[in-house]
Amino acid sequence: MRLQQFWALIAAAFLVAAGIYFVLARSGPAAPPSGLTYMPLGDSITQGYPSSRGYRCPLQARLVNAGYHASAVGLSGFLDLGFLDRLTGWSKVTDCPDNWEGHGSYTTAQIQAWFDADHSMTQLKPDIILALVGTVDVR
């Protein structure tokens, strides 16, 4: 009798596992959200150099390659490049977000104070905020 219960339990576990596998295999991976907005916020690492734009370009490329319809938001990018640079495009990097909140040589307290005064979070309402701060505080 115990042997029959053992094999019945094994068969039931196998059927449950097969059912879960079938449901997961048929449903496939979840679709990435569309209209995702993120705000790169931080010091000089977020700001990057004009020629490379720091980590923001590779991040945007990876999001697009993964199927996300994501866009960066922020108010600093337009001010940093300058009006003439933006028109001439000499420092333009393709497929790189121009919207961000990077402030070179700012400490965490300075970024917080600037961010509070700027009100860009309440204006732009990003879904995600990528905060990379504290490297200037080390010195």
Side-chain angles (χ1 to χ4, degrees), residues 9-104:
L9 184 62
I10 295 293
F14 177 75
L15 289 174
V16 168
I20 291 172
Y21 175 78
F22 179 74
V23 167
L24 292 177
R26 296 286 290 173
S27 63
S34 62
L36 178 72
T37 59
Y38 65 96
M39 177 182 286
L41 169 69
D43 50 26
S44 58
I45 296 172
T46 300
Q47 184 177 10
Y49 291 105
S51 60
S52 69
R53 304 288 200 314
Y55 70 86
R56 295 176 284 117
C57 298
L59 173 64
Q60 182 68 25
R62 287 180 183 221
L63 288 170
V64 169
N65 289 341
Y68 288 88
H69 301 286
S71 59
V73 296
L75 303 175
S76 296
F78 186 79
L79 299 174
D80 184 63
L81 283 180
F83 182 70
L84 291 177
D85 293 344
R86 190 173 285 281
L87 284 178
T88 59
W90 70 269
S91 61
K92 183 163 178 61
V93 176
T94 58
D95 298 332
C96 189
D98 285 335
N99 302 318
W100 40 271
E101 290 291 341
H103 307 283

